[in-house]
Amino acid sequence: MPTLRWTTVSTPAPDAESFVMASRFEVRSFKDAPRFFLKSLAAWKQVSGAPGAHGASLIAQPLKRTFWTLSAWEDKDALYRYARTEPHKSIMTGLRSTMKDSVFTFWQVPATDLPVDWTDARRRLAEQSRTGA
């Protein structure tokens, strides 16, 4: 399972809060997995220079057709600016037809709690998936 460990992009002030997003994507078929993985690497590279990014991690499970992302941001606006900026914007629209399922969850943590733990993120995603909220 290819994993890109947590990479710190910028260190927030110790008294700051970070806006966290976790996601799980499942592609429709095995043939979609390599393309999704390559595009996710481009989005990963973009995070490393994105204004307001604190850090990110990625887990790719191509044989399960599943990909997980975890990132922390200065605030919700920083995350949404990143999502609307190229290449992420085109990646999202270009991969939409290959998606079987996607789940997102958001929460805030004290900056001192970074990096965010994958166990907590996966629990939150599973909870989000069950409630559909």
Side-chain angles (χ1 to χ4, degrees):
M1 159 173 59
T3 298
L4 297 175
R5 294 178 188 235
W6 184 266
T7 298
T8 300
V9 176
S10 67
T11 304
D15 61 341
E17 289 277 312
S18 290
F19 185 75
V20 178
M21 183 200 77
S23 62
R24 182 183 54 76
F25 301 100
E26 184 181 351
V27 294
R28 291 186 187 281
S29 72
F30 289 112
K31 70 179 176 85
D32 295 322
R35 181 170 166 245
F36 189 95
F37 182 64
L38 290 174
K39 295 292 185 178
S40 67
L41 292 177
W44 170 266
K45 184 177 178 185
Q46 181 186 352
V47 170
S48 66
H54 290 163
S57 181
L58 168 74
I59 296 175
Q61 297 176 304
L63 297 178
K64 293 183 178 182
R65 303 181 334 263
T66 304
F67 300 84
W68 309 77
T69 70
L70 180 59
S71 58
W73 300 84
E74 173 180 291
D75 55 29
K76 182 166 60 169
D77 290 339
L79 169 62
Y80 288 2
R81 272 193 308 274
Y82 159 78
R84 290 188 308 264
T85 304
E86 295 298 341
H88 189 273
K89 180 181 177 181
S90 293
I91 291 169
M92 281 190 327
T93 56
L95 291 174
R96 195 167 285 139
S97 66
T98 68
M99 300 308 303
K100 179 179 179 184
D101 187 36
S102 57
V103 179
F104 300 88
T105 190
F106 307 89
W107 69 100
Q108 296 219 186
V109 299
T112 54
D113 288 356
L114 296 179
V116 181
D117 179 65
W118 266 110
T119 303
D120 182 37
R122 284 185 170 200
R123 179 190 58 77
R124 289 173 184 267
L125 284 164
E127 188 175 287
Q128 182 74 17
S129 187
R130 277 192 306 275
T131 64

